[in-house]
């Protein structure tokens, strides 16, 4: 209530909703009236937006943060500014907003060895790499602040992680000026809108009233939770960046990049690889093993199957340009090529499943040295991400199982022709 009073005094229209604790979903905005299709859910004046340019106008430390421009990520300057405003307490213009921001997060910045033990190996390494880079960024920031006259501003690594979590989980990108690029921005009150993959909303900056607006593409009834769509994020991104996995996600997918590359490399019978990669680049625009996915229902992305089909062509098929039929029709290279493609993709799917199942929560695993260094059982706060990690692994297993079923059905259909 105090946050809404603060916002209302500064021009934010918030009569149509209220802050509400939705239990497992966390705090969000609940409609106090009906919202029609194409109606503005929330309108936030530009003066209340915290952008990466806001720190430069700070009376005391603006010159210091201006000196960091071009030396560190703009997002990290915003993090420093957020920590400083938090330290100011009630003296800060943003005090009522900062007071209601979360203090505990469950994102990749905070995953402990107990959590990482439950991740598939490839994702575990990705998270560890991010944690190392975050520590290096903090060290670099402290050094640059000292070099540029900011030695009077001190903050801990925990402060930096808190601010980075706030920015990464609550910010959006806004184009405030047509002549400039989009700016990373915190939008008080509007950042309490939670994610739903089916929500249809449009975010825009209205130059006529200098306000950031969120317009709904679907109606909401009084008493319902108001939702926005964070974007086409799969569960991997939602887990690592936001700290949750939804019950359903139409954007979920399984990344097959590394596994396909390894499977193709292991095929010693492949010849004319340079020519085939040239064909993939020039004819299909496929330059590398990238963005190869399996989707809900078991469909495997076109660029993945095309990549495998072309590389598995025999000499005769390559010489006769058999790949040209893939460009604009359902024509395939040959029955043998199609069978080899299905076999390789099935091997990839089975390999991914084995990796995931070896990390299933219900299966006891040998603890790493990192996990042994944390002898205490996980606290309730630590246990919460375990549920989402398990949900992520199960969603990946489900898609891979569906992909194997589709490949088997396709093979059976070809045999019956």
């Amino acid at each position: 209530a105090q946050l809404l009073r603060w916002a209302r005094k500064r021009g934010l229209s918030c009569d149509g909703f209220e802050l509400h604790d939705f239990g497992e979903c966390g705090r969000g905005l609940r409609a106090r009236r009906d919202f029609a299709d194409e109606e503005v859910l929330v309108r936030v004046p530009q003066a209340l937006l915290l952008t990466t340019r806001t720190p430069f106008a700070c009376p005391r430390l603006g010159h210091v943060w201006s000196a960091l421009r071009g030396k560190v990520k703009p997002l990290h300057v915003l993090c420093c500014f957020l920590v400083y405003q938090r330290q100011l307490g009630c003296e800060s213009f943003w005090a009522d907003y900062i007071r209601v921001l979360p203090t505990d997060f469950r994102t990749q910045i905070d995953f402990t060895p107990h959590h990482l033990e439950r991740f598939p190996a490839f994702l575990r390494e990705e998270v560890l790499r991010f944690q190392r880079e975050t520590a290096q960024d903090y060290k670099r920031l402290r050094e640059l602040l000292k070099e540029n006259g900011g030695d009077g501003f001190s903050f801990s690594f925990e402060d930096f992680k808190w601010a980075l979590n706030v920015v990464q989980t609550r910010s959006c990108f806004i184009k405030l000026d047509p002549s400039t690029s989009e700016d990373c921005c915190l939008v008080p009150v509007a950042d309490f809108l939670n994610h739903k993959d089916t929500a249809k909303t449009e975010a825009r900056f209205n130059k006529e009233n200098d306000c950031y607006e969120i317009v709904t593409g679907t109606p909401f009834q009084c008493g319902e939770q108001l939702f926005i769509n964070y974007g086409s994020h799969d569960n991997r991104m939602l887990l690592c960046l936001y700290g949750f996995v939804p019950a359903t996600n139409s954007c979920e997918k399984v990344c097959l990049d590394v596994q396909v590359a390894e499977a193709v490399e292991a095929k010693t019978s492949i010849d004319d690889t340079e020519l085939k990669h040239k064909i993939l680049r020039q004819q299909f625009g496929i330059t590398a093993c990238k963005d190869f996915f399996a989707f809900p229902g078991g469909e495997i992305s076109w660029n993945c199957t095309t990549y495998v089909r072309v590389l598995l062509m025999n000499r005769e098929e390559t010489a006769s340009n058999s790949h040209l039929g893939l460009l604009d029709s359902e024509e395939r290279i040959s029955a043998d090529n199609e069978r080899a493609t299905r076999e390789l993709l099935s091997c990839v799917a089975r390999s991914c499943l084995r990796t995931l199942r070896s990390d299933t929560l219900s299966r006891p695993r040998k603890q790493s040295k990192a996990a042994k260094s944390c002898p205490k059982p996980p606290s309730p706060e630590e246990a919460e991400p375990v549920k989402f990690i398990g949900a992520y692994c199960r969603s990946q297993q489900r898609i891979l199982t569906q992909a194997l079923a589709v490949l088997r059905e396709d093979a059976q259909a070809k045999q019956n022709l």
Side-chain angles (χ1 to χ4, degrees):
Q2 190 170 344
L3 170 65
L4 297 184
R5 284 196 296 270
W6 171 82
R8 193 177 292 113
K9 286 180 182 179
R10 288 155 180 81
L12 190 149
S13 176
C14 47
D15 296 329
F17 54 80
E18 61 187 357
L19 277 172
H20 183 74
D21 190 340
F22 290 93
E24 187 173 332
C25 189
R27 290 180 298 175
L29 298 184
R30 182 170 64 180
R32 296 179 59 188
R33 62 172 177 82
D34 292 345
F35 281 90
D37 187 13
E38 302 299 326
E39 188 173 356
V40 175
L41 290 179
V42 60
R43 181 178 288 117
V44 184
Q46 184 174 357
L48 291 184
L49 304 181
L50 271 161
T51 76
T52 54
R53 304 174 196 181
T54 303
F56 305 142
C58 178
R60 181 184 168 193
L61 292 175
H63 67 286
V64 175
W65 288 315
S66 295
L68 299 183
R69 199 182 317 208
K71 300 177 182 177
V72 298
K73 298 174 184 176
L75 178 145
H76 290 161
V77 177
L78 179 57
C79 288
C80 288
F81 179 76
L82 202 59
V83 170
Y84 174 63
Q85 295 299 317
R86 189 191 196 192
Q87 292 176 353
L88 287 177
C90 60
E91 296 180 13
S92 169
F93 171 81
W94 312 96
D96 289 314
Y97 170 60
I98 292 174
R99 191 177 293 117
V100 297
L101 290 174
T103 55
D104 295 315
F105 293 88
R106 308 288 180 267
T107 71
Q108 61 184 345
I109 303 175
D110 306 286
F111 287 151
T112 68
H114 291 292
H115 303 141
L116 295 175
E117 281 295 304
R118 291 162 170 82
F119 273 114
F122 75 93
L123 191 51
R124 187 184 313 132
E125 290 305 313
E126 194 175 292
V127 171
L128 286 170
R129 189 184 314 115
F130 179 82
Q131 291 181 346
R132 289 192 297 268
E133 290 172 355
T134 299
Q136 292 167 2
D137 289 339
Y138 168 72
K139 183 179 179 181
R140 175 68 174 156
L141 264 176
R142 291 294 304 268
E143 292 172 351
L144 286 171
L145 283 168
K146 188 174 182 180
E147 292 172 6
N148 291 276
D151 48 337
F153 169 54
S154 178
F155 62 103
S156 68
F157 186 42
E158 291 303 311
D159 291 331
F160 178 65
K161 289 197 296 182
W162 168 79
L164 191 57
N165 267 320
V166 168
V167 173
Q168 289 193 343
T169 60
R170 307 180 76 83
S171 66
C172 59
F173 285 86
I174 304 175
K175 197 175 183 68
L176 297 173
D177 188 332
S179 63
T180 61
S181 59
E182 289 185 328
D183 200 359
C184 178
C185 182
L186 288 170
V187 187
V189 179
D191 59 359
F192 278 92
L193 287 162
N194 288 319
H195 168 76
K196 195 173 186 179
D197 67 313
T198 56
K200 297 179 180 178
T201 54
E202 177 193 357
R204 67 194 183 196
F205 185 75
N206 190 332
K207 291 295 291 183
E208 294 182 3
N209 57 19
D210 282 338
C211 288
Y212 174 76
E213 298 175 340
I214 296 178
V215 182
T216 178
T218 52
F220 288 97
Q221 294 183 347
C222 181
E224 288 186 328
Q225 181 173 186
L226 302 175
F227 287 103
I228 59 172
N229 192 324
Y230 291 176
S232 301
H233 300 329
D234 60 13
N235 286 348
R236 174 174 164 182
M237 180 171 287
L238 290 173
L239 173 63
C240 291
L241 290 186
Y242 297 95
F244 71 93
V245 171
T248 60
N249 183 4
S250 60
C251 298
E252 174 63 331
K253 55 184 181 285
V254 177
C255 182
L256 304 173
D257 296 357
V258 174
Q259 291 81 1
V260 169
E262 290 176 348
V264 169
E265 187 176 343
K267 296 283 287 187
T268 56
S269 59
I270 295 178
D271 47 32
D272 299 323
T273 54
E274 289 188 15
L275 174 59
K276 291 174 180 177
H277 280 292
K278 183 178 179 180
I279 290 171
L280 286 166
R281 287 194 304 271
Q282 295 182 351
Q283 300 288 333
F284 300 98
I286 301 174
T287 58
C289 288
K290 187 177 180 182
D291 297 330
F292 290 177
F293 300 114
F295 299 106
E299 177 190 359
I300 295 178
S301 60
W302 175 87
N303 59 342
C304 181
T305 54
T306 299
Y307 179 87
V308 175
R309 283 170 177 150
V310 171
L311 283 177
L312 293 184
M313 289 191 300
N314 59 35
R315 288 184 182 275
E316 292 76 15
E317 290 164 349
T318 305
S320 60
N321 292 324
S322 299
H323 63 277
L324 293 177
L326 301 174
L327 288 169
D328 53 6
S329 72
E330 291 297 320
E331 184 180 342
R332 296 295 177 250
I333 292 172
S334 70
D336 287 342
N337 178 273
E338 198 66 12
R339 182 168 54 254
T341 297
R342 286 195 301 270
E343 289 174 357
L344 187 141
L345 291 175
S346 295
C347 286
V348 166
R350 285 192 290 269
S351 174
C352 290
L353 270 173
R354 283 194 296 271
T355 300
L356 283 164
R357 285 169 178 163
S358 69
D359 293 307
T360 300
L361 298 180
S362 60
R363 184 172 298 186
R365 302 178 67 246
K366 185 178 179 180
Q367 283 189 323
S368 67
K369 292 181 180 179
K372 289 178 179 179
S373 68
C374 300
K376 293 183 180 179
S379 65
E381 291 77 15
E382 284 185 310
E384 184 180 6
V386 170
K387 173 182 65 177
F388 292 130
I389 295 168
Y392 163 76
C393 290
R394 287 190 295 274
S395 71
Q396 297 277 290
Q397 291 173 10
R398 183 164 52 250
I399 291 176
L400 289 166
T401 302
Q402 291 168 344
L404 279 171
V406 168
L407 289 165
R408 282 194 298 269
E409 290 171 6
D410 191 38
Q412 187 63 48
K414 293 295 187 297
Q415 288 178 0
N416 295 335
L417 289 178

